[in-house]
Structures are given as structure tokens and as C-alpha cells.
Amino acid sequence: MKLKIDGKDYSFIFGVKFLRNLDKNRGVEGERNGMKMNFGMGLTVLMPALMTKDASALADTLYAAAKDNVTQDQIDNYIDNCKDLNGLFSRVINEIKASNTAKPVVKNLKA
């Protein structure tokens, strides 16, 4: 997926790296025996937020999927000024659903 942000085309890929980034930033965390642990599940946590049109979830999604060096601030500003936010949500959700690596997680969420 490509988006033009600040006049430059940026690529977003919803593959394994995207899932790892989500697990780091939005994963389920817990503590056991005084040791903090991240259990992953970032996409599982994120999808309901995207479905309910949570703009911060959309920003985190795009940042995690960014192939190029785009900053969180650039993405936030892009979303803040997006004229078709519903269309952007739909586009991102459809890209995730079509991703070979994310498809099984999304399918299991519907079960």
C-alpha cells in the first residue's frame, strides 16, 4: 500500500515485520515472578480498535507497517488532515485482511 505524505510516496507492508512491530508496541504485557513479559497478540488487540475507527490505532498500524522512514508525527498529521478517513480505515483493514501473515489472525477473530 502507498500513501502520499508531505508530498512523498511512502510504502506500507502488512507482513511479518508489521506483526513484530505491533507485538512490541501494542502486545499484551504481563508480569511473572517480578519479570515483565510481552505475549505478543498485537494484531488481536489492534483489530477491534480499527474496526471501531480508533484514529490512534490507525496511526499505530501505519507506523508499524511503514517500510520507509516516515515519522509518527507525519502519520499523525496525515490522519488529522485526511479528507476521507473512513476510506483510509477501510483501505488499511482490507490490506491487513489480504496479508498472507495477518489473514489467519483476522479470520480467527471472526470465529
Side-chain angles (χ1 to χ4, degrees), residues 19 41 43-44 47 101-110:
L19 295 175
M41 297 179 40
L43 185 59
T44 303
M47 282 306 293
T101 55
K103 192 183 308 183
V105 174
V106 176
K107 184 178 178 186
N108 285 330
L109 286 173
K110 292 181 181 180

Side-chain angles (χ1 to χ4, degrees), residues 70-81:
V70 61
T71 67
Q72 186 75 61
D73 283 342
Q74 287 176 296
I75 291 171
D76 291 350
N77 290 332
Y78 179 81
I79 291 170
D80 285 342
N81 297 299

Side-chain angles (χ1 to χ4, degrees), residues 58 76-89:
L58 179 61
D76 291 350
N77 290 332
Y78 179 81
I79 291 170
D80 285 342
N81 297 299
C82 184
K83 293 186 184 351
D84 183 15
L85 195 54
N86 284 330
L88 182 58
F89 271 105

Side-chain angles (χ1 to χ4, degrees), residues 3-18:
L3 294 174
K4 188 175 283 283
I5 300 174
D6 295 335
K8 182 179 175 192
D9 286 332
Y10 290 95
S11 296
F12 299 86
I13 299 174
F14 300 91
V16 174
K17 184 177 177 183
F18 162 71

Side-chain angles (χ1 to χ4, degrees), residues 21-87:
N21 288 337
L22 282 182
D23 287 348
K24 261 193 291 188
N25 298 319
R26 281 227 175 207
V28 175
E29 293 184 350
E31 190 173 315
R32 184 172 179 147
N33 298 329
M35 203 166 114
K36 289 185 180 183
M37 303 168 80
N38 187 320
F39 297 103
M41 297 179 40
L43 185 59
T44 303
V45 171
L46 184 79
M47 282 306 293
L50 285 176
M51 300 302 283
T52 59
K53 311 280 196 238
D54 181 329
S56 69
L58 179 61
D60 288 350
T61 301
L62 290 173
Y63 190 68
K67 182 179 178 205
D68 305 309
N69 290 331
V70 61
T71 67
Q72 186 75 61
D73 283 342
Q74 287 176 296
I75 291 171
D76 291 350
N77 290 332
Y78 179 81
I79 291 170
D80 285 342
N81 297 299
C82 184
K83 293 186 184 351
D84 183 15
L85 195 54
N86 284 330

